[in-house]
Every structure is written in C-alpha cells, then in structure tokens.
Amino acid sequence: MYEGKIISAANKPAKYKLHAGATIWLNFWDNSSLTGFYNNQNLSASFYNQWETVYDHETEAGVFDFIQPQNFLVGYEGRVKKSKFAIGGYLKYLIQNNWNNREANLSLSYKNKFSKKVDVRIGANASIHNDNLAVNQLTLREKALNSDYIFTTALGSLKSKSKQYLSYDLSGFINHPSFYVGYSADNVKSTRLDNETTSQIIKHSVISGIHLPEVKKLKSSLLFKYEKEIFHNYTPGIGITYNDKFFVMSEYEALKKYSLTLGFYLLKGLKFQGRYSIRQIGDYQIESININNYTERKGYVSFGINYAFK
C-alpha cells in the first residue's frame, strides 16, 4: 500500500494512499469527514438511474424501462492552505417517488495525525433542501393522495407546494495503511423552514476496509458496509486495482442486489467510473400484478467523473 520514495528513513515515513478499488464508498457527500481526502482540490460529477425489465412468461417479450429514482450530483472540495481543515460542497437533484428533491450542501472536515501511520478525521455538514411534487407526472389517484401539496393557480394550472428544511450530519474516519473505518450519522437534526412538522429519522452508516498485500501490480481490499435507518442493511464487497490505473469493485448490496463498478484513470488526476447492478424479482413479487404471468428484474446504472488537481 505504500507509494513514493523514502527520503529519510529516520524522520519521514513512506507516503501511502488508498488504491482506487478501495475508495468507491469514500465520498464526502456520504461522509463529511472525507472532505478534502483525495487531493488539494477535487471536482466530481455523477449520475445514476434505476431501470426495470419485465418479462411475460407466455411471450417471453421483455420490456426495458428507465424509472425513478434518478440522481444528478456535482461537488467540489479542497484543503484550506497551511491548515488541517478542508471545505467542500455539492448540488444534488433527485427525483424519487414523483418528488423533485433539490439539495445544496456545505461540508467541513478536520484532519489530525494520531501517529506516524494513523490519520483521524472528523467532519460535519449542513444541507438545505427544497422538495416539491412532480405534478405533471402524477396519476389522478396520486394527485388525490397528495392533494395537501397541490394547488390550482389563477390560470387553472396545477402547482405543487414546496417543503423546505435544513439537515445536519456528523461523521468520523480513521485511516491506516492496513485498514480504514468510517462512521456517519445523517440527519442528526432537521429544521423545517416552512412551519410544518415532520418526523426525524437518523441514518447510521459504518464503512470499513482491510487491505491485502500487493501481488503482481494487483492491490485488493475486503470491504464491508453497515447501514441502519429503519432497517438494518449489510453490504460486503471487494475492491481491486491493477497497475494503479484500472480498478473494479464488486458488492452484494444489502445482501439483495449485485453491483459491479469499473473504472480507470484516463490522465493524471482524471478518473472515470461506471456502475451496474441487478436484483431479481424475489424481493419485488408483492409489487407484481400477476405473479403467474410475469417476472421482473430491477437494478440501476450510474457513471461518474472525478478530477483532482493541486
């Protein structure tokens, strides 16, 4: 896991950094303590969209559609010069369950070296949210169920009331040449800006990795994620990097869905990655109209670009 030359064996230990296959889960929009983790400045953009395929047993004709959720994110992070602090922020647009969710975020992290090999990071962020129904995409039944958020303008068109609120997250991360472990508590406090009341559910997440010895330009890590919001979810995975250029990560998401991420460094500092996942009908049978005639597969595709610069 070590990179670079040892200039002074007595006072300057070898520098190391995580290989790309072990960093797929390590994003500051998921864990604020990772703000500024990769370089002095870092620019990221990502997109994902869920899909479904439905097969009719009688005709075996499959129908493939992109469906909600759909997510766009653009983020920037950078270290504050001559300090142990880093700041960042992102803009995110998510459409899910026919709700348009817009989020603007500001993140802050602090890093301290606990020993020659152990870095400890803590972080916090604040986000402002603006949510409203995608009225034009609702069925008549959905409009009736959400009538509290829909109103008619003077010109007779339908509009949606907005829900506006602030949320705050806290997190921490420990990094060692042989392992890492991180924790985040999302939505530790929520403040409504529209005089409405809402229930507050804190999401707890733990991510961890154990790095194996390098073998013939192959670096690999065993990964594990735990999440609890309403239910407990466990996700094991493995990340592999070849020649510090090509990387792959395979995970069994929430022990229900297989996901595969592939990526490569095109130029120095410029990284591309794409992700594909699939889940069988077993967990969705309750949603099907006629189980005897239909089967279904769901999953999502995503891609991202990352550029690190000094």
Side-chain angles (χ1 to χ4, degrees):
M1 296 303 300
Y2 288 88
E3 295 185 358
K5 297 180 180 179
I6 301 178
I7 300 175
S8 173
N11 299 317
K12 296 185 179 180
K15 295 182 179 180
Y16 70 92
K17 65 178 181 180
L18 286 174
H19 65 94
T23 64
I24 307 301
W25 292 339
L26 305 185
N27 303 300
F28 82 95
W29 50 85
D30 296 320
N31 185 311
S32 57
S33 66
L34 294 169
T35 307
F37 181 72
Y38 294 103
N39 211 319
N40 290 336
Q41 299 182 78
N42 206 56
L43 182 65
S44 304
S46 66
F47 164 83
Y48 80 75
N49 198 175
Q50 187 164 313
W51 56 267
E52 67 178 3
T53 306
V54 180
Y55 296 92
D56 187 326
H57 283 310
E58 296 179 356
T59 64
E60 292 298 328
V63 178
F64 179 90
D65 286 309
F66 282 106
I67 58 175
Q68 298 177 23
Q70 187 179 87
N71 189 317
F72 300 87
L73 185 145
V74 177
Y76 170 81
E77 56 188 308
R79 296 175 185 167
V80 179
K81 291 183 179 180
K82 297 181 181 180
S83 79
K84 298 179 180 181
F85 291 91
I87 59 174
Y90 63 80
L91 298 174
K92 182 168 71 173
Y93 169 72
L94 169 68
I95 180 168
Q96 185 173 18
N97 299 325
N98 292 318
W99 277 90
N100 295 305
N101 305 289
R102 299 173 180 86
E103 179 181 351
N105 168 275
L106 180 64
S107 297
L108 174 70
S109 72
Y110 173 81
K111 171 187 173 182
N112 194 20
K113 206 164 186 63
F114 189 74
S115 69
K116 289 184 178 181
K117 291 186 177 181
V118 178
D119 293 334
V120 178
R121 311 174 68 97
I122 57 174
N125 70 31
S127 299
I128 183 170
H129 305 258
N130 187 307
D131 304 341
N132 69 289
L133 278 168
V135 179
N136 295 332
Q137 300 186 32
L138 300 181
T139 64
L140 290 175
R141 181 175 181 274
E142 289 170 336
K143 289 177 181 178
L145 292 174
N146 294 279
S147 59
D148 290 344
Y149 294 98
I150 300 174
F151 65 95
T152 305
T153 67
L155 298 178
S157 60
L158 294 178
K159 297 291 183 179
S160 172
K161 297 179 182 178
S162 295
K163 296 193 297 184
Q164 299 175 342
Y165 60 98
L166 295 170
S167 65
Y168 308 93
D169 305 341
L170 298 172
S171 60
F173 190 80
I174 299 174
N175 191 26
H176 183 275
S178 300
F179 68 90
Y180 68 74
V181 60
Y183 167 78
S184 63
D186 301 337
N187 200 33
V188 293
K189 181 174 176 55
S190 181
T191 304
R192 292 296 296 263
L193 303 177
D194 49 14
N195 297 320
E196 297 285 341
T197 58
T198 185
S199 59
Q200 178 178 322
I201 300 177
I202 300 176
K203 179 181 178 181
H204 301 275
S205 302
V206 176
I207 47 177
S208 60
I210 298 176
H211 313 309
L212 304 179
E214 181 176 347
V215 178
K216 295 183 178 179
K217 296 185 178 182
L218 284 175
K219 299 177 181 179
S220 56
S221 298
L222 303 178
L223 310 172
F224 184 79
K225 179 192 295 185
Y226 166 77
E227 297 176 314
K228 180 184 182 299
E229 190 169 11
I230 298 177
F231 303 103
H232 300 268
N233 287 320
Y234 305 89
T235 300
I238 182 170
I240 300 173
T241 304
Y242 174 71
N243 199 27
D244 289 325
K245 185 173 183 180
F246 302 97
F247 56 94
V248 60
M249 176 188 175
S250 177
E251 60 185 284
Y252 189 28
E253 191 174 346
L255 301 180
K256 296 178 180 178
K257 180 166 56 180
Y258 295 99
S259 298
L260 183 68
T261 302
L262 299 172
F264 63 95
Y265 284 96
L266 180 65
L267 299 169
K268 185 176 181 180
L270 187 62
K271 181 175 69 175
F272 291 89
Q273 67 185 51
R275 192 177 190 186
Y276 173 86
S277 73
I278 188 168
R279 184 175 176 182
Q280 296 292 347
I281 181 60
D283 298 302
Y284 291 96
Q285 288 183 351
I286 193 172
E287 301 176 11
S288 299
I289 297 174
N290 189 333
I291 296 301
N292 295 324
N293 292 330
Y294 293 91
T295 60
E296 185 178 13
R297 303 172 82 182
K298 290 191 177 183
Y300 66 86
V301 292
S302 70
F303 60 88
I305 182 173
N306 176 277
Y307 181 60
F309 53 98
K310 294 183 180 180

